[in-house]
Amino acid sequence: MLRDYFLVAFNNLRRRKLRSWLTVIGIIIGISAIVSLTLVAQGTENAVNAAFEEFGTDVILVQGGATFSRPTPGEYGLENKDIRFFESFGEVDIVIPYVYDTQEVEYKDEKKYPIVYAIDTELWGEFLGRTNFEVEKGRNLQKGETGAIVIGWKLNQDYFEKKVDLKSRIKVSGKTFKVVGIYERVGNDADDTSIAMAIEDARKVFAPPGKVTGAQMIVKDGVNIEEFVKELEEEYEDYRGDKNFIMSTSTAILEQINNILGIIQYVIVGIASIALLVGAVGIANTMYMSVMERTKEIGIMKSIGATNRAILTIFLIESAFFGIVGGIIGCIVGIIMAIGAKLAIEFFSPGLPFLILIDPKVIGGALLFSAVAGIISGILPARSASKMNPVDALRHE
Amino acid sequence: MTKTPVIQLENVSKIYGRGRAAIHANKNINLTINKNEFVVIIGPSGSGKSTLLNLIGSLDYPSKGTIKLDGQNIAQLDESELAQIRGQKIGFVFQSFHLIQSMTALENVMLPLTFQNMSAGEKQKRAINILTKVGLKSRMTHLPGELSGGENQRVAIARALANNPEVIIADEPTGNLDQSTGKKIMDLLLNIYKKEGKTVIIVTHDRDLVNITKSEKVYKIVDGELV
Ligand SMILES: Nc1ncnc2c1ncn2[C@@H]1O[C@H](COP(=O)(O)OP(=O)(O)OP(=O)(O)O)[C@@H](O)[C@H]1O
Ligand SMILES: [Mg+2]
């Protein structure tokens, strides 16, 4: 029986093809917006989490004289005694101090001011393991090696008018260095134009003696990092005598970012839901029009034995159809849009591990949502159709 | 031959609207229709003929009085039971055919069977059979818009017969047809009465057609009253 009602309902949909499709498009827009935005938001979250995973959850970052949790170029807010202070804690495994600055860099008579950072070559491997940097050509700095640099991907491209390559010689702050390695593309210009060198070299050329920009502390296994960082922060404040530093853990930063991403996700899904609501109103509108136009048919069907329930079912099938078909096509369009966004992001920022997972929860939820929207928007029109008096309906022209 | 009453109306009135605007479309009608009768109802326009047929066909409830179909008081039935009665015991034929324009002749004839929960194969078999009987075997896949008036009315009659009802109710079935086509339709209805043993109730304006039927049961209605 239900099968026959489907046939009757589809007969009606087929008859008003253009209008049916326009109604479905309303739902497609709403659902595809919800699906694509949710998938992109999830992908962003995945990318951020993956980046932090690489960085590690056992790291405490400290910047001296900084107000921002990213390194501030040219700030030398930590001294050797600060580093030794950190090292004195039993919970701390290694401290990796670093210098981070913008410097005049000259290549074949062209001058630029990229970021130059420097680390003790002894700690180089430890440091690189926690970054996006990966050597593509050449090699890393070796322990104790001086006079050598590793350059960002862009220097090997068009950063300077003449391409810098392995074995090229570059002047940093007036002193000549030899390029021994080139990093893979990271995806942001600051990293892709940067130059890495040994901290001893940096001290000789530009960095003030006995001072660094910041440090990464790697805590020992089994240390509760959140508790430890609180304790360390208090003790360090006492030691320094001021609050002029920033200490943060990757987990805390990750939590903050995920909170913000979560809010953004709710906001965009909320906005996309308005589109779906408009689509649902479109269904209700189409259904009312369809009930009006088919008043006489409703009378005919009742005169040949259709119950109110049968009429209700036929009209609800129609409105559910709008919702379900709109939902299916909307999901497909949404997935395609999300993949398009992923490709665009990868193009502009290739290093980012931006992963779009076709989350079955999102797809299932969207389909359910659209079917429910279709049925709900059909309830009132279908009820008014089913309640019609057959004699009046038959008189309708 | 003993007479079995199929439809009994006792003091039936139908009032549309209320207060000063109330229209007494049917007044105090008493009427008994027996099994396998051919009943003709005549009367001027607006006299209440269609109203009466709608009540007989349980398409509407009376305002006053009782209507019994096979001894069952229809006032005591709810909407869905009434719909079942229309589907199983009554077949309607209307002046303007009232076919569903987007469905083929075959689909139109199958539709009442759909509401009776019949299997697809059975429905199709039955509908083809009946369409063949009314002479439309070659026209089954046509839409109403592609058929002549007389053919449309044949489809409508086939649809009325689909559920093998006891009673066929036809409200001016020839009203939209020319003389000779109208006569053929009337012959078809007479055939249904004679050969199939159905109870047929028709409303018509056409005196000539009334004569053809040779019916002994001709009722006249004036101003809502049987005279
Ligand atoms: N649904 C309705 N609401 C209000 N008045 C109605 C309704 N149906 C019929 N009437 C009125 O009831 C009276 C009888 O109408 P009915 O249709 O039964 O007449 P009829 O004899 O079939 O006329 P005709 O030969 O023109 O078809 C008319 O005055 C009509 O206007
Ligand atoms: Mg009439």
Side-chain angles (χ1 to χ4, degrees), chain A residues 392 395, chain B residues 16 23 25 44-51 172 205:
Chain A
D392 293 338
R395 286 161 64 98
Chain B
Y16 290 113
I23 295 164
S45 184
S47 57
K49 304 182 295 294
S50 296
T51 304
E172 298 191 46
H205 270 126

Side-chain angles (χ1 to χ4, degrees), chain A residues 45 112 116 128 133:
Chain A
E45 212 174 306
K112 294 240 170 172
V116 178
L128 277 185
F133 290 110

